[in-house]
Amino acid sequence: MKRIMKIFIIGVCIGIVALLIQKSFHIDEDVFMRGYYIAAIVIVIGAVLFNILYNRYYFKKVRILSEQLLEEKPQAYIEGMQALLKTAKGRYLQNTLRLNLTAGYMEQKRFKEAIEILEGLSEKQRKGAVVNVVYCINLFICYFETNQYEKATALYQANTQLLQKFRGGKSYGANIAILDTLMTIMKKDYQEAEDLLEKAKQTYDEVKVVIPVFPGTNCEYDSKRAFEKAGAKVQLVLIRNKTEQMLT
């Protein structure tokens, strides 16, 4: 609403200035209106092109920074993303950069900081299906890694249709396969998790699996061997409980 009001006010001011010019120089009204319409169209097209090129410039910077993550340099990635945030204009661009910033925090296992950013992005601030699926994937993994299983399950169930739209796709299919596997692990259905992993292996080049280790359980190493046999990279995560009741 504020942006619309700002555009409206600027338009009114330009109109008033143009009218004063027309009256001052006694320009023919028909000639003036034709020039006014042409100028208005040029200004609108110019503004749109500038916005597109401006965003593409920053997204190109993000793609370059992403190589830091592939090279296992998350701190350099974080610092670069924070530098972009200082100069970026526009809420959409800033929110997209914040979303990408969480990937660096996740690589450093700074999940609480990532959660703080992600939970601070309201639905109105997340525009587009791609932005929302990345948001969902990142927040789910952060919840899982911080033992917030109820929140992870609720998030997964609330975004079933969104995840289905990207499931099997080249860009985010592997990430969603991880979410599907983690959901079955939280249900302690390790056979289904292994089946999902095998299916994912046939579709994607590499699949990573996180297996939670609960006190009193002894099947995690069997599951680890099964996943590794299927070709996955496996990470065991110890879940520490404060009371016995927390395990039930």
Side-chain angles (χ1 to χ4, degrees), residues 179-191:
L179 267 59
D180 295 337
T181 304
L182 293 178
M183 279 296 297
T184 58
I185 288 175
M186 287 192 290
K187 297 175 183 177
K188 300 183 181 180
D189 191 344
Y190 300 111
Q191 182 57 53

Side-chain angles (χ1 to χ4, degrees), residues 9-25:
I9 293 171
I10 292 173
V12 171
C13 291
I14 292 175
I16 293 172
V17 171
L19 183 61
L20 290 173
I21 292 173
Q22 188 259 335
K23 295 296 184 183
S24 299
F25 292 92

Side-chain angles (χ1 to χ4, degrees), residues 126-135 162 165-166 172:
R126 306 190 312 268
K127 297 181 180 180
V130 172
V131 170
N132 277 286
V133 78
V134 172
Y135 168 87
L162 176 66
K165 181 178 179 180
F166 290 89
Y172 303 105

Side-chain angles (χ1 to χ4, degrees), residues 117-130:
I117 293 174
L118 291 166
E119 289 185 338
L121 296 175
S122 66
E123 188 173 351
K124 291 183 179 180
Q125 293 174 313
R126 306 190 312 268
K127 297 181 180 180
V130 172

Side-chain angles (χ1 to χ4, degrees), residues 76-101:
Y77 173 86
I78 290 171
E79 291 173 358
M81 202 62 66
Q82 289 174 335
L84 291 181
L85 271 168
K86 290 180 180 179
T87 57
K89 304 296 182 182
R91 291 182 182 179
Y92 172 75
L93 177 59
Q94 290 176 347
N95 290 334
T96 303
L97 292 175
R98 290 190 183 97
L99 181 59
N100 281 277
L101 175 60

Side-chain angles (χ1 to χ4, degrees), residues 144 177-178 180-186 188-201 206-212 219-236:
F144 182 87
I178 292 172
D180 295 337
T181 304
L182 293 178
M183 279 296 297
T184 58
I185 288 175
M186 287 192 290
K188 300 183 181 180
D189 191 344
Y190 300 111
Q191 182 57 53
E192 183 180 355
E194 185 175 348
D195 293 341
L196 287 172
L197 179 65
E198 180 62 30
K199 182 179 179 181
K201 181 190 172 185
E206 179 180 282
V207 178
K208 297 180 181 179
V209 173
V210 178
I211 298 179
C219 62
E220 59 271 0
Y221 294 104
D222 292 333
S223 299
K224 180 176 183 291
R225 283 193 293 271
F227 282 132
E228 288 176 337
K229 185 177 179 181
K233 290 188 175 181
V234 182
Q235 177 186 357
L236 296 178

